[in-house]
Amino acid sequence: MAQYHPACSIISIMKRLLILFLVATFSLPSFGQEITDTKWTMSINFGLQKHDKRLFGFPPFPAAYLLEKHPESFGTYQLGISIVRKIFDKSRLKIYVGGGVSSELSTFTRPFDQDYGHEIKRDILIMTDRYYQNLLQLPIRTKLSVFKHLGLSLEMLPQFNFLAKADLDHSFFNGSEFSWWKFDFYSVEVNPGLSFELGRFELDLNYRAFQFKKIDRILFSISTLNDPRTDQIYESYNPFKLWVSIGYKL
């Protein structure tokens, strides 16, 4: 059920977690020392993604205005923290599983369904330019050592949303938002890339090769857009996305 009230953003929680991560990292032994058989790795993860500019038959004048307002390509960001445990280590291959929390922010201005979850819809068109999805993650990571410090990585990343929040377009409104508490499947990403290790530190660079995602009917509401996917629940639309992760072996 939608609620029209101020709420603290998960981004502030992510910032606190980042500070705790850095404090914990620099209070632990330095990366130059030799490490034994560490099983746990804690990571800070940042994602940068192209805008999803699909407007599905939105009237031409508003649509043209929104596209002109956002000439930039990138504008969806994701910040999270995760911890994984090594469950397989043989020869040059390692497999990790774990969990994490993350917040995704979309900054493309678009209409949304303020009455999502209600049968009665108000005939009022409002837009958001700060749309958050707060997520639980269950990463599965595979790493293959190629050289001493460099390897290949492949991550499968299931995600489940528990809180969606839409801040009204700040160009017209001030301090108003809608939020929806729910627990639902959000997406599965397949992210191949490179992994660099030095002592206890890891630096991973991945790109999203594939995505299977549930269509978000808060943004892609049939009541506000002429979305042809009326009987479709999932999609594999995959705008370009990069992941950068900094990890520390505990």
Side-chain angles (χ1 to χ4, degrees):
M1 180 178 294
Q3 298 178 353
Y4 189 63
H5 61 82
C8 63
S9 170
I10 196 74
I11 289 293
S12 62
I13 300 175
M14 291 287 100
K15 290 179 179 178
R16 294 188 182 97
L17 289 174
L18 175 58
I19 293 172
L20 290 174
F21 173 81
L22 293 175
V23 170
T25 296
F26 288 108
S27 66
L28 290 169
S30 66
F31 65 85
Q33 75 174 65
E34 292 295 325
I35 59 175
T36 55
D37 186 23
T38 58
K39 293 185 178 298
W40 295 91
T41 302
M42 181 180 291
S43 302
I44 291 291
N45 314 300
F46 176 73
L48 176 63
Q49 177 184 310
K50 278 190 172 182
H51 280 305
D52 182 349
K53 296 185 178 182
R54 296 175 296 170
L55 290 169
F56 291 114
F58 200 51
F61 169 70
Y65 166 75
L66 296 179
L67 293 172
E68 183 179 349
K69 184 179 179 180
H70 294 281
E72 72 278 1
S73 296
F74 292 87
T76 298
Y77 311 97
Q78 195 165 344
L79 177 65
I81 186 169
S82 63
I83 185 167
V84 296
R85 188 181 190 277
K86 183 166 56 179
I87 62 169
F88 181 86
D89 186 354
K90 187 173 183 181
S91 185
R92 296 182 298 166
L93 181 65
K94 299 175 182 176
I95 301 176
Y96 303 80
V97 297
V101 291
S102 183
S103 181
E104 181 185 82
L105 167 63
S106 173
T107 61
F108 181 71
T109 305
R110 60 166 63 251
F112 71 98
D113 184 2
Q114 62 182 309
D115 296 313
Y116 176 79
H118 296 274
E119 293 184 4
I120 300 176
K121 307 290 185 181
R122 284 171 283 186
D123 190 19
I124 302 174
L125 182 64
I126 55 178
M127 300 193 184
T128 178
D129 61 354
R130 293 289 186 277
Y131 182 70
Y132 299 88
Q133 285 282 5
N134 301 304
L135 308 168
L136 296 176
Q137 301 175 312
L138 299 175
I140 304 170
R141 297 173 186 163
T142 302
K143 296 192 176 184
L144 177 66
S145 297
V146 178
F147 301 106
K148 182 177 180 180
H149 298 294
L150 184 65
L152 302 176
S153 66
L154 178 64
E155 178 184 64
M156 180 174 291
L157 185 62
Q159 302 185 103
F160 301 85
N161 55 351
F162 61 89
L163 173 62
K165 186 165 72 71
D167 291 348
L168 298 189
D169 183 357
H170 70 279
S171 301
F172 300 98
F173 301 94
N174 184 25
S176 298
E177 67 181 30
F178 289 80
S179 60
W180 296 265
W181 286 97
K182 57 180 180 177
F183 185 79
D184 198 4
F185 171 78
Y186 184 69
S187 71
V188 173
E189 297 184 3
V190 177
N191 304 311
L194 298 174
S195 180
F196 178 79
E197 297 186 11
L198 184 61
R200 290 183 177 270
F201 283 92
E202 296 181 349
L203 176 64
D204 288 8
L205 178 64
N206 297 74
Y207 83 98
R208 187 172 65 194
F210 176 77
Q211 174 178 229
F212 181 73
K213 184 177 182 180
K214 188 171 184 178
I215 298 173
D216 186 350
R217 290 303 180 189
I218 297 175
L219 293 185
F220 298 105
S221 170
I222 299 173
S223 63
T224 57
L225 300 174
N226 294 322
D227 191 338
R229 304 168 300 171
T230 54
D231 298 325
Q232 190 174 335
I233 300 176
Y234 304 100
E235 65 174 349
S236 57
Y237 178 68
N238 186 31
F240 182 80
K241 182 178 183 180
L242 282 175
W243 279 103
V244 177
S245 299
I246 300 174
Y248 188 85
K249 299 175 184 178
L250 302 176

